[in-house]
Amino acid sequence: MSAELDELYQSIILDHNRRPRNFRVMEDASSHAEGKNPLCGDQLTIWLKLDGNVISDVSFQGSGCAISKASASLMTAAIKGKTRAEAEAMFNTFHGVVTGAHPEDAEALGSLKALSGVSRFPLRVKCASLAWHAMHAALLRQDGAVAVSTE
Amino acid sequence: MTTRTAFSDLRADFPLLAANPGLVYLDSAATSQKPRAVLDAVRDYYETANANPHRGAYKLSGTATDAYHGARREIARFLGAADADTLLFTRGTTEAVNLLATGWGQAHVHRGDRIVVTRMEHHANFVPWQQLARAVGAEFRICELTKDGLVDLDQLRALVTANTKVVAFGHVSNALGTINDVREIVAIAHGIGAVAFCDGAQGAPHLRVGFDDLGVDAYAFSGHKMLGPMGIGGVIVKRRVLETMHPYQFGGDMIEFVFDGDTTWNVPPHKFEAGTPNVEGAVGLAAAVRYLEALGMDAVRAHEMALTRYAMERLAVIEGLHLFGPASAEARSGVVSFTLGDIHPHDVSTMLDVDGVCVRAGHHCAQPLMRALHQSATVRASFYVYNTADDVDALVASLVKAKARFHAHA
């Protein structure tokens, strides 16, 4: 079996795809945003609850490929309890790793490192970053819904 | 004309395939690969005949004009149209349908009229009609499909009412492979005096069209799906329908006289071909139809049907694989569209790609159909003249591996 596929579809990715964490609608969210990838038909919604500058809760729902779903699930676990600035910084680091621009930062990503295999599949970067773009949009527009697209 | 019957050695004719022996190209419904004869024809045109057609009084311009209209005659003959000047060149099917929806539609469709399409249309044969209906205040109705993925002809008969002006439908579905009963759909449309326009993007590459016997009022096609270059295609329109159409784009070549306050139009096909034409595309497409004619379209159809039947048999035994579209290979072109258990089509496509197997994953520019099928995406493998049973075997082997990879961790 191919080594690059082993790296892309690690067991942690397949596990989060099958059993996504924080996969629920949040009724009392401070903000939410939709992420869409029209070419794939992928779509998900991210909900955030903010306590001052701290993301006290985060959830998502939607449909998509294993990469987009696992990435969203891992993201919710990673940014819960972080400040807005920390979450945005994490997005920057994550983006640098999955696009292959800064592979040396992978270790700093913790469990998100599981997605670093995406850098070998440029066509799938948009899948891995969809949830993050939606999270970013939700932070920007705390007071209303906003849709983003990775196309 | 000699007819070649062996399809097993065609890869050598296609430089991209010949240079990549491990490549299993199963996305010809998106675009076909190009034989050397087409690439040579394009190059030869620029090296021996290039000038702006219709413009110059010098001999070379005449050579370019001859090359352009010679290509038109060859392509018209291939598609079964005796009147070559009713073949209008466009960038492809998308532009051809937009030409019809604008040039014919705005002249004939008014408030209260009805436009009928089918559930299986590609966006290119759906959105132009939907938007025309919105612009003029006409009704836009969609004929649903049977469970087997065929146009529900009973529903079509009910939908095509006296106020219907046009029935727009695909010859072959790009997403399901369904071959539609063109003559029956035409009979329903003509029964109440509507025109029948056919999107032949997936038909012309694979089936003998026979435009003059088919009965449709217009037939659109794309060159790049039938071994020709990208950026060339066209539409054949029955002359009496063509005579009633307004120009689609304005500019050079399509005019007769331009006065300060108004303009008169050139005759078809020029009236509908504004600007410097795509001569290299036309010449390349003519070489493509010569290649197809040498194979013989009946042999092409037989080859693809045999491959499709074999693929359907082999795919059917993969547990969890769900195949969409008609149950018999006879009712479909060389397209198999499916899902593999709960594995998302994009993940399937990525895993197949690593094995060199190129398939399409997505909504196939047919979102209204995907909604009706309750799918956000499917995997589609499509076959053409250069594919063989070995390609089907590679597809199946790669699918089995993909399934094992995902389910090993279940």
Side-chain angles (χ1 to χ4, degrees):
Chain A
M1 290 245 184
S2 147
E4 50 188 344
L5 282 182
D6 289 343
E7 208 188 330
L8 182 66
Y9 293 113
Q10 297 176 25
S11 53
I12 182 173
I13 301 290
L14 296 175
D15 175 54
H16 276 259
N17 173 49
R18 221 167 264 285
R19 299 186 302 115
R21 320 297 197 268
N22 303 305
F23 193 71
R24 58 187 155 84
V25 177
M26 196 190 296
E27 300 293 348
D28 57 344
S30 321
S31 177
H32 71 281
E34 205 180 337
K36 275 186 189 171
N37 188 335
L39 190 68
C40 310
D42 292 352
Q43 51 186 30
L44 52 79
T45 305
I46 301 283
W47 287 272
L48 298 174
K49 193 191 287 177
L50 286 145
D51 194 355
N53 259 338
V54 174
I55 298 167
S56 58
D57 196 11
V58 49
S59 70
F60 84 105
Q61 268 205 335
S63 63
C65 63
I67 303 303
S68 69
K69 214 159 153 189
S71 180
S73 174
L74 284 160
M75 181 194 80
T76 60
I79 67 170
K80 199 183 282 192
K82 297 283 191 295
T83 65
R84 299 169 60 118
E86 286 168 339
E88 295 282 21
M90 207 180 278
F91 181 18
N92 277 335
T93 308
F94 177 81
H95 199 258
V97 170
V98 295
T99 54
H102 295 288
E104 69 280 5
D105 290 346
E107 291 305 325
L109 283 176
S111 60
L112 298 174
K113 186 186 161 213
L115 283 153
S116 59
V118 171
S119 65
R120 305 277 288 275
F121 296 86
L123 297 171
R124 304 303 297 275
V125 169
K126 61 181 194 282
C127 310
S129 50
L130 183 62
W132 289 90
H133 283 289
M135 180 277 292
H136 174 69
L139 281 179
L140 280 181
R141 292 273 296 276
Q142 242 187 79
D143 48 354
V146 57
V148 298
S149 164
T150 54
E151 279 306 296
Chain B
M1 188 177 301
T2 55
T3 297
R4 280 207 276 179
T5 50
F7 282 73
S8 57
D9 61 344
L10 294 192
R11 271 185 91 96
D13 293 348
F14 293 78
L16 188 146
L17 297 176
N20 295 280
L23 189 73
V24 179
Y25 187 75
L26 296 175
D27 198 18
S28 294
T31 196
S32 66
Q33 296 301 333
K34 321 302 174 195
R36 183 171 286 103
V38 167
L39 309 178
D40 288 348
V42 171
R43 185 179 185 87
D44 184 62
Y45 164 72
Y46 282 120
E47 288 182 349
T48 66
N50 178 55
N52 203 324
H54 311 140
R55 302 300 199 278
Y58 51 92
K59 200 156 70 181
L60 190 61
S61 176
T63 309
T65 305
D66 290 347
Y68 185 53
H69 293 296
R72 190 192 309 274
R73 282 191 296 276
E74 280 194 87
I75 297 160
R77 188 172 62 233
F78 173 76
L79 295 171
D83 187 352
D85 286 343
T86 61
L87 188 160
L88 317 176
F89 281 123
T90 64
R91 284 188 292 131
T93 305
T94 298
E95 192 180 45
V97 176
N98 278 279
L99 186 159
L100 294 171
T102 306
W104 180 87
Q106 293 193 345
H108 294 274
V109 182
H110 307 291
R111 177 170 297 278
D113 289 341
R114 178 178 284 196
I115 295 170
V116 178
V117 302
T118 85
R119 178 60 68 186
M120 68 172 77
E121 297 316 308
H122 186 285
H123 295 159
N125 198 38
F126 190 95
V127 182
W129 301 112
Q130 175 198 60
Q131 293 302 309
L132 171 66
R134 290 177 65 92
V136 304
E139 291 180 300
F140 179 70
R141 301 297 292 269
I142 304 163
C143 181
E144 302 297 337
L145 310 183
T146 65
K147 282 197 171 59
D148 207 24
L150 307 170
V151 172
D152 184 339
L153 292 172
D154 289 333
Q155 192 184 85
L156 188 66
R157 283 184 199 95
L159 278 178
V160 178
T161 47
N163 62 333
T164 302
K165 287 291 158 65
V166 54
V167 178
F169 66 101
H171 190 175
V172 173
S173 160
N174 73 307
L176 298 174
T178 310
I179 300 173
N180 280 318
D181 187 343
V182 176
R183 285 188 174 78
E184 190 56 37
I185 294 171
V186 169
I188 292 168
H190 286 180
I192 55 92
V195 298
F197 288 160
C198 188
D199 166 359
Q202 302 291 342
H206 307 286
L207 304 169
R208 185 178 295 287
V209 174
F211 178 82
D212 288 341
D213 299 323
L214 205 54
V216 289
D217 296 285
Y219 191 93
F221 60 96
S222 291
H224 73 95
K225 293 189 200 290
M226 48 194 291
L227 309 181
M230 288 186 174
I232 188 74
V235 58
I236 311 173
V237 187
K238 272 189 188 162
R239 188 165 280 278
R240 62 182 159 74
V241 175
L242 194 57
E243 301 289 356
T244 69
M245 284 168 52
H246 294 168
Y248 168 56
Q249 290 175 338
F250 303 102
D253 228 24
M254 56 79 64
I255 53 89
E256 182 189 40
F257 294 107
V258 179
F259 305 101
D260 287 358
D262 205 356
T263 297
T264 59
W265 313 128
N266 201 338
V267 296
H270 314 288
K271 177 180 172 184
F272 301 97
E273 294 180 358
T276 295
N278 180 1
V279 184
E280 67 156 270
V283 165
L285 181 53
V289 305
R290 282 196 294 276
Y291 187 92
L292 287 170
E293 274 175 339
L295 291 173
M297 287 310 287
D298 293 335
V300 168
R301 169 68 181 142
H303 170 73
E304 290 176 12
M305 192 159 42
L307 266 188
T308 305
R309 185 179 292 118
Y310 178 60
M312 289 170 78
E313 282 167 13
R314 291 223 52 196
L315 292 173
V317 299
I318 299 177
E319 202 191 324
L321 187 142
H322 182 81
L323 189 64
F324 296 92
S328 82
E330 285 74 16
R332 50 165 95 209
S333 170
V335 170
V336 286
S337 199
F338 57 88
T339 51
L340 186 61
D342 59 356
I343 311 177
H344 194 281
H346 288 97
D347 295 313
V348 174
S349 174
T350 292
M351 289 186 275
L352 265 53
D353 187 33
V354 169
D355 290 337
V357 179
C358 308
V359 294
R360 175 82 179 267
H363 54 59
H364 316 299
C365 296
Q367 288 177 7
L369 172 64
M370 289 290 138
R371 271 197 305 281
L373 296 174
H374 306 292
Q375 303 295 321
S376 66
T378 69
V379 182
R380 180 188 71 188
S382 51
F383 311 117
Y384 208 10
V385 293
Y386 35 69
N387 291 118
T388 64
D390 289 346
D391 294 333
V392 174
D393 291 341
L395 168 70
V396 170
S398 195
L399 286 169
V400 169
K401 270 168 66 182
K403 222 182 123 204
R405 175 178 291 281
F406 257 60
H407 292 166
H409 301 275

